[in-house]
Amino acid sequence: MKRRAVLQYALGAVALSALPVSAAPGLPEVEVFKNPNCGCCGAWVDHMKAAGFPVKVVEVEDTGTVRRQVGMPDRFGSCHTAKVAGYALEGHVPAEEVKRLLKTRPQAVGLAVPGMPAGSPGMEMGPRLDPFKVLLVDRSGQSTVFAAYPKA
């Protein structure tokens, strides 16, 4: 009898190990639209995965088209656009701020880090840390500062 029980437990463990493991319970998938030739976008994807987000990458030649589809004004443009839980993310937004966005759920299009500031996630350049702002973009296209980096 004991042998049968051990075999059943072993088979159960094997079956459980075959199940897919999600990145982190409760975090929604981030769908990233990026140019296939952009390395810093891939580094930002790695940053999001390391923070526990499941990530789906869609390679596109023109991220501007996606940016406009999600309602993010071009003046906030960067090198990639992402969607998460009904929000747009433009550029190198820190995962910490995405989590705060999802927790607070403001009425907004989403978050943007315009340009490609050195030291932002995916744009690490050794000790160089250029100051940058994470902007909350509302539905009228106006922005307010959601966070400022480097944090004091």
Side-chain angles (χ1 to χ4, degrees):
M1 274 305 214
K2 289 183 181 180
R3 190 174 176 177
R4 177 178 274 170
V6 169
L7 186 57
Q8 286 175 334
Y9 287 124
L11 288 174
V14 169
L16 283 175
S17 69
L19 293 174
V21 178
S22 63
L27 288 178
E29 179 179 74
V30 177
E31 187 174 18
V32 181
F33 299 86
K34 68 176 232 35
N35 184 288
N37 301 313
C38 186
C40 67
C41 298
W44 184 77
V45 166
D46 292 342
H47 165 76
M48 295 301 285
K49 286 179 179 177
F53 284 95
V55 179
K56 174 184 174 186
V57 174
V58 179
E59 294 186 345
V60 296
E61 290 300 320
D62 179 16
T63 59
T65 301
V66 176
R67 185 179 314 115
R68 287 183 287 283
Q69 287 173 349
V70 298
M72 183 65 69
D74 281 336
R75 72 178 176 278
F76 299 111
S78 186
C79 56
H80 59 266
T81 302
K83 297 190 296 188
V84 62
Y87 289 104
L89 304 173
E90 184 64 32
H92 296 265
V93 178
E96 172 184 356
E97 304 309 334
V98 176
K99 288 178 180 179
R100 186 162 66 102
L101 174 78
L102 296 173
K103 185 176 181 178
T104 59
R105 303 291 300 171
Q107 294 288 339
V109 171
L111 298 176
V113 174
M116 299 168 65
S120 61
M123 289 296 299
E124 291 84 359
M125 297 181 162
R128 182 175 166 187
L129 294 173
D130 290 354
F132 67 94
K133 294 176 182 162
V134 179
L135 303 176
L136 179 69
V137 180
D138 69 23
R139 299 191 195 289
S140 70
Q142 300 303 307
S143 68
T144 56
V145 176
F146 192 72
Y149 285 78
K151 289 189 171 187

